[in-house]
Amino acid sequence: MSVRVGIDSRPRTGETSNGDTAVSRRVGGRHLLAVVDGLGHGPDAQTAADAARSCLEQAALSGPIAVLLRELHAALRPTRGAAAFVAVVDGHTLVGAGVGNVDARMRIGRIPLVLTPGVLGMRMTEPKVFQARFAAGDRLAIFSDGVRATFDLDETRTLPPEQAAKAIVDRYGRHHDDATVLVADLEQ
Ligand SMILES: [Mn+2]
């Protein structure tokens, strides 16, 4: 099973620091997919995003997702905090959780997602972990709240993931916020 990923991320208009970040990382048979939105925008938001990125680039993917989120929560403690959606693809199974305003959807499948309120690094309740079936040929999008949720994944179905992510950010990105989309296709 391979996951093909495209990411587009840009700061709000007039800002050079990006408080959003996305991570795609394969370890063994597992593939980590994450989007992080540092609180607010500007350099301090980017510091939070950077701390989250370095945590997610080193974290073990073999344990429960709730443990990964607790590690992320701890790594973000010295920062102003962040919202994040973190998922792991293992075969045809997608397991993940979202804390704060980073959301996700699939083109065909359905994520029974209940976002957990809170801010990673500040306050987090027990994360609500979902599990979904991720069929070959399906497409997942994870997006920060700088992207209007009205986009339809069918609109970009003919585009490869890199171009689809860019098209969604270009068309649906809010100019007053950092905007990020991670698009992942599950291939055979
Ligand atoms: Mn945001």
Side-chain angles (χ1 to χ4, degrees):
M1 194 59 53
S2 71
V3 183
R4 186 170 166 201
V5 178
I7 291 167
D8 195 44
S9 185
R10 56 107 177 116
R12 82 198 289 250
T13 303
E15 183 65 72
T16 52
S17 302
N18 190 347
D20 279 4
T21 193
V23 175
S24 165
R25 179 178 156 232
R26 190 176 179 91
V27 180
R30 294 182 172 194
H31 201 122
L32 170 72
L33 303 167
V35 169
V36 177
D37 179 350
L39 214 62
H41 50 81
D44 289 348
Q46 186 174 318
T47 298
D50 289 346
R53 160 173 288 283
S54 73
C55 170
L56 292 171
E57 283 176 347
Q58 295 165 45
L61 304 186
S62 48
I65 207 90
V67 172
L68 187 56
L69 280 170
R70 278 198 287 273
E71 284 176 36
L72 192 54
H73 182 53
L76 283 162
R77 278 244 179 256
T79 75
R80 58 160 62 169
F85 180 97
V86 177
V88 172
V89 182
D90 185 358
H92 285 271
T93 303
L94 178 71
V95 179
V99 177
N101 292 326
V102 180
D103 209 347
R105 71 171 59 138
M106 292 163 102
R107 191 173 71 80
I108 301 165
R110 190 181 151 270
I111 298 176
L113 183 61
V114 185
L115 294 173
T116 307
V119 178
L120 289 163
M122 291 174 71
R123 57 186 179 277
M124 182 178 69
T125 54
E126 188 59 26
K128 299 179 178 83
V129 177
F130 72 87
Q131 188 167 320
R133 178 133 182 104
F134 194 2
D138 205 350
R139 170 170 278 181
L140 167 74
I142 308 176
F143 54 101
S144 69
D145 67 351
V147 175
R148 281 176 283 126
T150 49
F151 71 88
D152 182 349
L153 275 176
D154 274 329
E155 275 179 32
T156 55
R157 66 182 297 180
T158 58
L159 299 176
E162 301 77 14
Q163 288 177 38
K166 185 175 187 312
I168 295 167
V169 168
D170 286 351
R171 289 177 207 162
Y172 295 92
R174 300 178 200 271
H175 291 289
H176 65 266
D177 200 0
D178 307 330
T180 300
V181 177
L182 181 154
V183 171
D185 287 349
L186 191 67
E187 299 176 332
Q188 276 299 357

